[in-house]
Amino acid sequence: MSAEKIILGIDPGTTVMGFGLISVKKGKMEMVSIHELLLKKYPNHETKLKYIFEKTLALIDEFHPDEVALEAPFYGKNVQSMLKLGRAQGVAMAASLYRNIPITEYSPKKIKMAITGNGNASKEQVAGMLQNLLKLKEFPTKYLDASDGLAVAVCHHFNSGTITDTKSYTGWESFLKQNPDRLK
């Protein structure tokens, strides 16, 4: 287990999208990079999706992650918001699968539980725990969406080899086999 593994964690969003990269070598985690994609300035949803795809591909091409972990959309009351969030997640998934990188989804509660031990923790509590776990003197971003992306990567590391109630795909074929209802 001496080989280094790079994990890209993604917190999908249509206003701010968070990305966090960690390196795991000999069981030790280290933050590699953290990014946020600010999408408020773009005129429409289609343009936002284009930039999500491009940013995800750019990070993959720059850091060469071995695995990608995404936060699954949570079920809210606003159907339009849910639909837009699902599209953002789908575009990030497509970029990862386009580069043949396996992806895994985690529920927001599972991520919070893995990081803080409390599935109902606040974003601030998650960021504080990440700062402690990764031995960061200060948190490198003001956007908690970026820290959520980092949390997804750390959650994936903690769950490697013990994944339950998550979905993993190694490519389009795998995705379609596990989601036959999505093929029309």
Side-chain angles (χ1 to χ4, degrees):
M1 176 154 186
S2 63
E4 177 183 33
K5 178 164 63 169
I6 306 264
I7 302 169
L8 169 60
I10 302 174
D11 177 34
T14 55
T15 304
V16 179
M17 189 152 177
F19 299 90
L21 286 124
I22 63 168
S23 165
V24 181
K25 191 169 186 174
K26 296 183 181 178
K28 292 189 147 225
M29 282 187 304
E30 185 178 306
M31 185 182 84
V32 173
S33 189
I34 190 167
H35 299 266
E36 60 271 334
L37 180 57
L38 305 177
L39 297 161
K40 292 178 199 176
K41 60 187 173 191
Y42 297 111
N44 56 50
H45 190 62
E46 295 78 15
T47 304
K48 291 177 181 185
L49 294 175
K50 176 183 181 280
Y51 284 107
I52 291 168
F53 187 82
E54 290 174 351
K55 177 69 170 183
T56 305
L57 273 182
L59 290 171
I60 289 168
D61 291 344
E62 181 178 354
F63 294 101
H64 307 287
D66 300 290
E67 299 170 2
V68 172
L70 295 112
E71 182 174 309
F74 57 91
Y75 300 100
K77 293 181 182 176
N78 186 330
V79 176
Q80 284 299 319
S81 293
M82 180 76 180
L83 181 61
K84 287 178 180 177
L85 190 61
R87 287 177 180 160
Q89 182 201 28
V91 168
M93 290 171 81
S96 302
L97 293 172
Y98 184 71
R99 292 290 191 246
N100 295 312
I101 301 171
I103 57 174
T104 305
E105 294 178 81
Y106 295 93
S107 72
K109 276 194 179 290
K110 184 164 183 95
I111 296 164
K112 291 175 182 179
M113 181 65 87
I115 304 302
T116 68
N118 175 2
N120 295 314
S122 69
K123 286 180 175 277
E124 293 80 9
Q125 289 171 315
V126 171
M129 196 62 171
L130 285 171
Q131 189 173 349
N132 187 38
L133 284 168
L134 297 168
K135 297 172 180 55
L136 305 172
K137 288 188 182 358
E138 57 183 48
F139 216 79
T141 180
K142 68 177 184 170
Y143 293 98
L144 293 175
D145 300 272
S147 65
D148 284 351
L150 193 59
V152 179
V154 172
C155 171
H156 183 66
H157 167 61
F158 286 162
N159 285 281
S160 291
T162 61
I163 299 171
T164 57
D165 84 333
T166 58
K167 294 182 179 180
S168 279
Y169 314 110
T170 55
W172 285 115
E173 215 172 283
S174 169
F175 176 82
L176 290 173
K177 278 184 185 173
Q178 293 182 44
N179 297 282
D181 55 315
R182 299 266 183 105
L183 183 65
K184 297 203 182 207

